[in-house]
Amino acid sequence: MKFSFKNDYSEGCHPNILQALLQHNLDQQAGYGEDEYSLKAKELIKAKINKKDSDIYFVSGGTQANLIVISSVLRSYQCAVSAATGHILNNETGAIEATGHKILSIETEDGKLRPSDIIPVLESHRNVPHQVMPKMVYISNSTELGTIYQKKELEALSEFCKQNRLYLFMDGARLGHGLTSEISDLTLENVAELTDIFYLGGTKNGALIGEAIVINNPALQEDLAFNIKQKGALLAKGRLLGIQFMELMKNDLYFDLAKHANQQAMKIKNALQEKGISFLADTYTNQIFPILGNELIEVLSESFEFFVWKKVDEESSAIRLITSWSTGDDAVNRFIEIIREKL
Amino acid sequence: MKFSFKNDYSEGCHPNILQALLQHNLDQQAGYGEDEYSLKAKELIKAKINKKDSDIYFVSGGTQANLIVISSVLRSYQCAVSAATGHILNNETGAIEATGHKILSIETEDGKLRPSDIIPVLESHRNVPHQVMPKMVYISNSTELGTIYQKKELEALSEFCKQNRLYLFMDGARLGHGLTSEISDLTLENVAELTDIFYLGGTKNGALIGEAIVINNPALQEDLAFNIKQKGALLAKGRLLGIQFMELMKNDLYFDLAKHANQQAMKIKNALQEKGISFLADTYTNQIFPILGNELIEVLSESFEFFVWKKVDEESSAIRLITSWSTGDDAVNRFIEIIREKL
Amino acid sequence: MKFSFKNDYSEGCHPNILQALLQHNLDQQAGYGEDEYSLKAKELIKAKINKKDSDIYFVSGGTQANLIVISSVLRSYQCAVSAATGHILNNETGAIEATGHKILSIETEDGKLRPSDIIPVLESHRNVPHQVMPKMVYISNSTELGTIYQKKELEALSEFCKQNRLYLFMDGARLGHGLTSEISDLTLENVAELTDIFYLGGTKNGALIGEAIVINNPALQEDLAFNIKQKGALLAKGRLLGIQFMELMKNDLYFDLAKHANQQAMKIKNALQEKGISFLADTYTNQIFPILGNELIEVLSESFEFFVWKKVDEESSAIRLITSWSTGDDAVNRFIEIIREKL
Amino acid sequence: MKFSFKNDYSEGCHPNILQALLQHNLDQQAGYGEDEYSLKAKELIKAKINKKDSDIYFVSGGTQANLIVISSVLRSYQCAVSAATGHILNNETGAIEATGHKILSIETEDGKLRPSDIIPVLESHRNVPHQVMPKMVYISNSTELGTIYQKKELEALSEFCKQNRLYLFMDGARLGHGLTSEISDLTLENVAELTDIFYLGGTKNGALIGEAIVINNPALQEDLAFNIKQKGALLAKGRLLGIQFMELMKNDLYFDLAKHANQQAMKIKNALQEKGISFLADTYTNQIFPILGNELIEVLSESFEFFVWKKVDEESSAIRLITSWSTGDDAVNRFIEIIREKL
């Protein structure tokens, strides 16, 4: 059987989580997120972000988190702006528009947004009331291309948003990977300080399901509980989400898992760079996009599963490799061996 | 610590499910419901309903299932009709209306709908195009009051819907309990035969999360996959849903668990009836609504948690007791002892 | 040809309006409501309500006004409450629900809402976040049954809404008729003082199209312009709406037209009462609901068009007669003659 | 006072319409589009398109027509594709997204769509069910840039849509201008033959309000009446729309008015071309975009109103001039005189 580098949600969950599910299985708990584990998990997150007044809710997945947050925050005529590679633009079957909101797309090189990217959009949307009003900046960290925000960049964006009365929302489906990248100087506390709302992704970092939405801006806190219920995201057995985040936040397991995924990707990246291979984007997280010859891609395909991401020319394409909290050394070493042998 | 009869989702899940999660945890699987366990679970359900051409999708909870099904099936100006006690009317924060659809409410004694209940609604909604068009009949089995549909009743309703070009949708959040009631003559195969669409509830019958939507009417099958994704209900690790239904459907575990819950409720019911206690509704599933004196309610409250459902007069109220797949003999016996002692 | 008492929008518009359309036809004006006539019309309304800070917008019709106002004011999980006879509940093809909002229906005798009607609804909707949050009280004046609010009643309701943080919205499709009823002690200034938002209906009172939305609560003013555009209600030639309200508000033409309609209805009502006829509702506006024998209804049908509103018993039914700004004495007298002759 | 070339909706309406409004003003008519004038207008349009089985509805404006048509035709997860200049993308405050549908934007030179523009969009939207499904092609004729479709182009697009199961919808806010352009070889009959649905714009061609939606594809006809009512677009006095289209369609007045507007624009265009002026787009309808020196623009601004459309370089900009059914020779000649004098 082939080993899959297709994504970071191919396996189940970290054993600690299963262990905790077993241990607490027959304890009776209140429903709908009022269980002890959810309360404990929220405490752990608040301690980590050092913000007592943030509100925290657990939902099942990223698309769900995105559509609930965006539709909860925006008024009907307001819209989000996103890098053209944004998950909400391409991979969510119009989930945001289905809640009534346009997303304005901005082409960028690296999947990141800077104030200079957003200014022209603001300037071309001032024909009141004939146009939507940009009101939220949606970013991902790490991005859909595996790139990350540095502290200075996030500070500049946050400041820009405040000046322009825009909400800053960070999609953190892979926030663990972003923050534990070897080149990142950003902490979870910084993220909470600099965004109005963000989420900590569990699904792609060792949980079965689960994203922890953290609302730092008090003005946005009131509506969320209702919207979570109304969109069908409030689990009767909220304990399932609570237990997972309780375990992930204990002793920084969440960050260790992400760091592991990053490291496995970096091993492969380094091996490829040694052989002079170039990449579609310069990434330091668990996603890498090496450009390989078609023949080599075919050879690798015999032992591994991965996506061929983009044709580069007649002879070569970029492939996407994603490692996870669970990617072992065996698979990584086997991949590197083939690379070394064939290049 | 008090034992809770407040609902059937206070505990975790059946041990077989945890066992399977452990066993398959590190197997790499395709995402988004294409995993082996989901495929196996669908096979088991299809065999049970004896319909090869039904489509099956797994989602996380009841409100989610309801809003996806109803918004997927109805055109913008079409509406559902529901008994006034329907979960979609009272307990889902306007989730259906949030997708754009009105629900017409019908007062009934027992939470069930009959053709004679629906006819006046059809007759008062013929002012085209100034009124919504009733197009779906929404029923629950067992109902929110714990009552159930007999085969003849469902046949009559199904026939009526066909004649009036209405879709029949059964909310099966507690379908296991409905079908295994000691007075039920309905099978899962009947349900699949007589409805356009229904779901098998897992959350209230031993799963951590999960409802299995079964679409029997081919005309309604095309849209659902898109709508599940668009509403944020498509889990990346669909394996979590697949494994649970795979285990529940094996050797009829699903039905055994529901039957157990029903039996525990019936033991209490019988003990109360022996003492001449009357009930708000005559139920044979895992929900019972005995009318008790306020003093007795207070005594019971010292040892048990439950909802006081409805004030009946100055001296007495109906309480709601719900048993689950996991309710043990200890709790039931203790409850009965107190009853016998105090009455 | 039969004269029609079916509604108050069977004819064109008051001649003054046509005259003004002719007079200003070739003047070039700014689009989208920035024309001189709209500005003038707003001034006239503000002078009449004696509130400089209200915002005023003109839209084409009542359903449009209702759906724009309600969807603009409410957050996604909030709902309106309405008397069961409310236009938004029965006659708008689910227009409000189509914008995502539930309407809670309250049964009342006379189509009016009082605090005592609303209290039980508030009390039964406190299961946060599992239920919609009642946030707006929707009333009509005159109501769909032709009844009206007295000043004390509106004051009590307004006070109740403030205490319970509910917005009070008055559908004024027939506000002229309500205010000029011989038993009304309410003024337009009172209405502006006591509601958060209301509209002055033109369509049913001598305009071709047009309702003037008046927003008194500053907190609700910001969004409306965007929502009017987004819902397709912003006319390029806003002058058409402006000219009509400019003419209607000049010299109180608006109120004279409504008073005339009321008076014509009262003439018929008095003639019927003289003959001992009873009515479905005790109304003093341009809608009356006399209960007549089937034979007489048939005779009247030979000369007049009207709706048979409700079967009362085997021998008699209530009919609905509506008079308009344009209903002449001929038709009224002819109707009365037949009544006097046949009864 | 300055003459305005800002748009084609600065004046009232063609005198024939006012005359007809006067003539029929006191005739009692059925409401909601069932009046005699609406029926007559529909007959005239059907005769002109030579299609007995098309359905026709009148609504008030273009944004309203667009949002009703698109939301009526598409299922929740389906989207429209549009040229980047499309009115629905930039000038409707997210009206389409507010009904739940994404619009995919395609960059084109001239505001027109060709099959080769659409193919890449189809190819990049095949990740079922993670992406929206392109299902409608939205085009304008004349376009927002004043360009038009030739018969061969529309045939090719229509054929492409059929092959790819896409609906073809033509926004005809300026359809009269498109069809009467001196270079057009397309007829209204062709348009009805080649599109699934289109509308004839009245607002920008001599009506006070009004667009006539024509549904040629029978599969799309059933829902529209309900959606028009639900979106607040069904006028009680539908006679206002009926009378206007009755007059416009009599003796081809509609086309004469558009042709006049085109001719006035062409006079200016020719005068500018004689002086060697170039244009942003090569148009033959009532919109022209000449590129003029800043000094000349300033001079013209003293006598005329128009939009400065786009800065071309430091010394010059393109301006937009729009003529209408009502633009007289005086204004045109005065403009030309200044041009000749200053260039």
Side-chain angles (χ1 to χ4, degrees), chain C residues 138-156:
Chain C
Y138 164 92
I139 56 173
S140 314
N141 189 36
S142 64
T143 70
E144 294 76 5
L145 296 180
T147 53
I148 66 165
Y149 284 83
Q150 298 292 0
K151 193 173 169 191
K152 269 198 184 167
E153 294 175 315
L154 193 62
E155 284 171 345

Side-chain angles (χ1 to χ4, degrees), chain D residues 22-37:
Chain D
L22 274 166
Q23 180 187 336
H24 300 295
N25 192 45
L26 294 183
D27 298 350
Q28 288 192 317
Q29 290 286 336
Y32 300 112
E34 300 298 319
D35 60 280
E36 294 168 17
Y37 325 118

Side-chain angles (χ1 to χ4, degrees), chain C residues 248-268:
Chain C
L248 287 173
M249 297 314 293
K250 270 188 200 161
N251 306 317
D252 284 345
L253 176 62
Y254 183 79
F255 298 100
D256 292 345
L257 296 181
K259 190 183 289 180
H260 171 82
N262 289 347
Q263 285 170 342
Q264 299 298 69
M266 289 304 102
K267 286 182 199 166
I268 298 174

Side-chain angles (χ1 to χ4, degrees), chain A residues 32 72-77 128-131 133 222-223 225-227 229-230 234, chain C residues 32 72-77 128-131 133 222-223 225-227 229-230 234:
Chain A
Y32 301 112
S72 184
V73 165
L74 298 183
R75 303 290 295 168
S76 60
Y77 54 88
V128 173
H130 296 264
Q131 293 182 297
M133 178 195 282
E222 192 186 342
D223 299 343
F226 286 99
N227 284 317
K229 173 64 188 171
Q230 190 183 66
L234 188 58
Chain C
Y32 302 110
S72 184
V73 165
L74 298 183
R75 303 290 296 169
S76 60
Y77 54 89
V128 173
H130 296 264
Q131 293 184 297
M133 177 195 284
E222 192 186 343
D223 299 344
F226 286 98
N227 284 317
K229 173 63 189 172
Q230 189 183 67
L234 187 60

Side-chain angles (χ1 to χ4, degrees), chain C residues 104-125:
Chain C
L104 296 171
S105 173
I106 300 177
E107 295 290 335
T108 71
E109 278 296 300
D110 55 5
K112 293 159 63 176
L113 285 183
R114 291 160 186 85
S116 57
D117 298 315
I118 303 169
I119 290 169
V121 172
L122 299 186
E123 286 178 351
S124 62
H125 284 82

Side-chain angles (χ1 to χ4, degrees), chain C residues 276-325:
Chain C
I277 293 299
S278 63
F279 294 78
L280 203 65
D282 187 29
T283 66
Y284 297 84
T285 58
N286 69 324
Q287 301 183 72
I288 57 175
F289 299 82
I291 299 167
L292 304 176
N294 295 341
E295 224 168 303
L296 178 55
I297 292 175
E298 210 158 305
V299 171
L300 288 165
S301 296
E302 287 162 22
S303 305
F304 299 96
E305 291 189 359
F306 49 81
F307 283 106
V308 178
W309 197 250
K310 199 179 169 178
K311 187 176 162 177
V312 171
D313 57 33
E314 287 309 313
E315 275 98 46
S316 58
S317 290
I319 65 169
R320 187 183 77 169
L321 300 173
I322 303 193
T323 52
S324 86
W325 63 277

Side-chain angles (χ1 to χ4, degrees), chain A residues 290-314:
Chain A
I291 299 168
L292 303 177
N294 296 340
E295 224 168 304
L296 177 54
I297 291 175
E298 209 157 305
V299 171
L300 289 165
S301 296
E302 286 163 23
S303 305
F304 298 96
E305 292 189 359
F306 50 81
F307 284 106
V308 178
W309 197 250
K310 198 180 171 178
K311 187 177 164 177
V312 171
D313 57 34
E314 288 309 312

